[in-house]
Amino acid sequence: MALNAVEAIRQLQDRSSSKRRSAAKRLRQLGDPSAGPALLEALKNEVRDSRTWETQYQMTIALGTCGSPSNLPYLRDLVLQRKTLHAVHTAGGDAIVRLSYMEHSHAEAIRWCLSTSNETLAGGALQAVAMLRLVPDQETVTYILDFIKARSPHDGLYFWPAVAAAGWTGQRVQDFLTSCVSGPRSDVAEAATTSLAGNYGTYRPL
């Protein structure tokens, strides 16, 4: 039987990393804001142990669905630290955009993540843009496309913008998707083909 929010919050303190991870996954599904404070405290403890990267990832991602914009300063600081694991950078980018969306500051958050030159963080942010089906202002769309254009077409960072662009408009967007269709990555080409038809693909991050 699936855990309810109260049980999952309690399980965040379990001695077993796998139990803590499954609790975070469950809270991520529930999206219950009452779990936000407990997730934040659990994450602060979890990041002290570099062995539990999968648990740290799930806690960070869950914070993006259960937390509040008040968690943003901690997350921004976390992803800027050298010792922070790559998995947390990905989840952190996702969570930062999600929590910023709550206060309608997601455009600034997207640009901030991409401006750090941390491609793992950028990937997480672009993942959230796609999963939330965000339609940023034209300036932010241009910023994203400029960021992607500077990379090799073999780069996996093309994938989430190709998914997100289903809801974007303009010739630049059409040209981007068309180039993706004929590009070297089959996953990006498939996503772009779906977006050109005006449809969002059914994709789900880990």
Side-chain angles (χ1 to χ4, degrees):
M1 182 178 292
L3 298 174
N4 62 36
V6 173
E7 292 168 335
I9 289 170
R10 187 180 305 122
Q11 192 167 300
L12 289 172
Q13 304 302 321
D14 197 278
R15 293 181 65 183
S16 165
S17 178
S18 63
K19 290 284 187 67
R20 298 193 300 274
R21 181 164 64 253
S22 65
K25 282 184 177 181
R26 180 58 179 154
L27 291 170
R28 172 185 174 184
Q29 293 172 341
L30 293 171
D32 189 335
S34 70
L39 275 165
L40 180 62
E41 289 309 308
L43 178 60
K44 288 180 178 179
N45 289 326
E46 201 69 38
V47 295
R48 298 172 182 170
D49 188 346
S50 61
R51 298 171 298 177
T52 64
W53 66 268
E54 292 172 292
T55 303
Q56 293 178 37
Y57 174 88
Q58 292 298 338
M59 285 183 176
T60 308
I61 276 272
L63 191 60
T65 63
C66 299
S68 72
S70 65
N71 302 139
L72 285 167
Y74 171 76
L75 286 171
R76 289 200 183 205
D77 180 65
L78 179 64
V79 298
L80 290 177
Q81 294 179 24
R82 285 189 177 183
K83 63 182 180 180
T84 299
L85 303 176
H86 281 191
V88 179
H89 286 146
T90 300
D94 185 289
I96 286 168
V97 172
R98 287 178 184 273
L99 296 179
S100 297
Y101 180 59
M102 292 182 183
E103 60 178 11
H104 308 291
S105 63
H106 52 281
E108 183 276 332
I110 295 165
R111 293 195 296 270
W112 181 83
C113 289
L114 270 55
S115 72
T116 63
S117 300
N118 181 330
E119 297 200 352
T120 312
L121 175 64
L126 294 171
Q127 171 181 286
V129 172
M131 297 308 297
L132 292 171
R133 299 185 177 183
L134 297 183
V135 182
D137 60 89
Q138 199 59 48
E139 180 182 355
T140 303
V141 168
T142 298
Y143 193 100
I144 293 171
L145 295 181
D146 286 344
F147 175 83
I148 296 300
K149 184 181 178 182
R151 279 144 185 82
S152 162
H154 293 274
D155 198 317
L157 280 172
Y158 273 73
F159 179 75
W160 289 118
V163 174
W168 303 350
T169 59
Q171 189 59 49
R172 177 89 187 273
V173 174
Q174 293 298 303
D175 292 344
F176 164 69
L177 290 173
T178 301
S179 69
C180 287
V181 170
S182 59
R185 292 186 63 105
S186 60
D187 57 340
V188 173
E190 178 186 345
T193 299
T194 302
S195 291
L196 278 170
N199 300 317
Y200 285 98
T202 54
Y203 305 102
R204 178 173 169 77
L206 296 176

